[in-house]
Amino acid sequence: MALPGSRTKTTDVWSLPEDEQLIGQHINEALPRSGWLCSHPGPRGLHQVHLHRSLGKALSCGGRQAFLLLPDGARAPEDVLVDQAVGPRSDIGHSAIVQFLCSRRLQDGEGEVFEAGRLAARWFEQQVGRERHRLLTEETRLVWTALRAATRPACVETTQGRRISGMRIGPAAHDLVANSGMPLKRGGVQRLRLVAAPPTTQLRERL
């Protein structure tokens, strides 16, 4: 449950590395001064954190997740090393972050399963003020518009036949799942099956 005063948005996403490159490209086009923090496992300070120009670079450096600083062009924290490819930063600090968490292929008792990653954002309206809140809302909208441009709806079905929508899947990940029949997962232990999105959903995506 969201904390009082927080503004949150989360979308489950199935992706492969080529999809992640495409998602990052679309986000960079929407927010030209964007920068992504790499995220290393282990205690804080164990590894140098960098601000990268692209999502792909941040994931290659840090692992399974990366963080986009908002508003666009916000300066990196003092202990972060800024890559030379990153454009000039403003003097303002970041007020929100967008997390990109990669999907992963796992083995469970029944075989291989494809677990969703996510795109998620959060900030607290009372802490940032009205004007900054409006800016973060608009930039978050641009990020999710970029996500929709780089992916397609992921309509899935439970083993009981109940359909669930609202998730996304990259083109390469879709081909993998469609051709292999690999089951999906989005947290918990329940397996899901990819099914065709309803025609109305496909129409909305084209508009």
Side-chain angles (χ1 to χ4, degrees):
M1 180 180 296
L3 296 174
S6 69
R7 293 294 178 262
T8 61
K9 186 175 181 67
T10 303
T11 299
D12 291 323
V13 183
W14 285 279
S15 62
L16 292 178
E18 48 264 61
D19 300 318
E20 292 150 12
Q21 294 284 349
L22 185 60
I23 292 168
Q25 177 185 332
H26 278 270
I27 292 176
N28 282 4
E29 290 171 355
L31 300 176
R33 295 190 297 164
S34 56
W36 293 87
L37 293 176
C38 54
S39 176
H40 299 268
R44 181 177 175 84
L46 181 62
H47 300 283
Q48 176 66 57
V49 176
H50 310 88
L51 185 68
H52 299 269
R53 177 69 184 105
S54 69
L55 173 61
K57 290 286 188 182
L59 293 174
S60 296
C61 179
R64 196 185 169 208
Q65 64 178 345
F67 298 95
L68 173 70
L69 301 180
L70 295 181
D72 189 28
R75 69 173 182 269
E78 292 183 358
D79 58 346
V80 170
L81 184 64
V82 179
D83 189 273
Q84 291 183 348
V86 177
R89 316 311 293 166
S90 71
D91 291 332
I92 61 173
H94 72 278
S95 302
I97 58 171
V98 176
Q99 178 205 36
F100 184 87
L101 180 68
C102 295
S103 310
R104 57 182 178 178
R105 295 166 67 168
L106 303 171
Q107 293 288 333
D108 63 14
E110 301 178 46
E112 190 174 35
V113 63
F114 196 15
E115 183 181 62
R118 64 175 172 266
L119 191 69
R122 170 181 283 185
W123 68 90
F124 289 85
E125 184 175 354
Q126 295 93 329
Q127 294 179 2
V128 303
R130 184 178 301 175
E131 290 301 319
R132 183 60 60 86
H133 169 67
R134 280 201 287 261
L135 176 60
L136 295 175
T137 300
E138 173 59 20
E139 291 190 349
T140 302
R141 184 190 66 79
L142 292 174
V143 169
W144 260 260
T145 298
L147 174 68
R148 290 193 296 272
T151 59
R152 59 190 296 175
C155 187
V156 300
E157 190 176 77
T158 68
T159 54
Q160 292 77 34
R162 182 171 68 90
R163 289 203 172 191
I164 307 173
S165 59
M167 296 149 288
R168 308 295 301 184
I169 188 167
H174 183 275
D175 289 346
L176 169 68
V177 175
N179 293 332
S180 67
M182 184 183 301
L184 303 174
K185 182 180 176 183
R186 57 179 299 228
V189 297
Q190 186 178 45
R191 287 183 165 218
L192 305 168
R193 182 175 67 89
L194 184 67
V195 296
T200 53
T201 301
Q202 297 175 4
L203 178 61
R204 285 197 300 268
E205 288 291 313
R206 291 195 295 267
L207 296 177

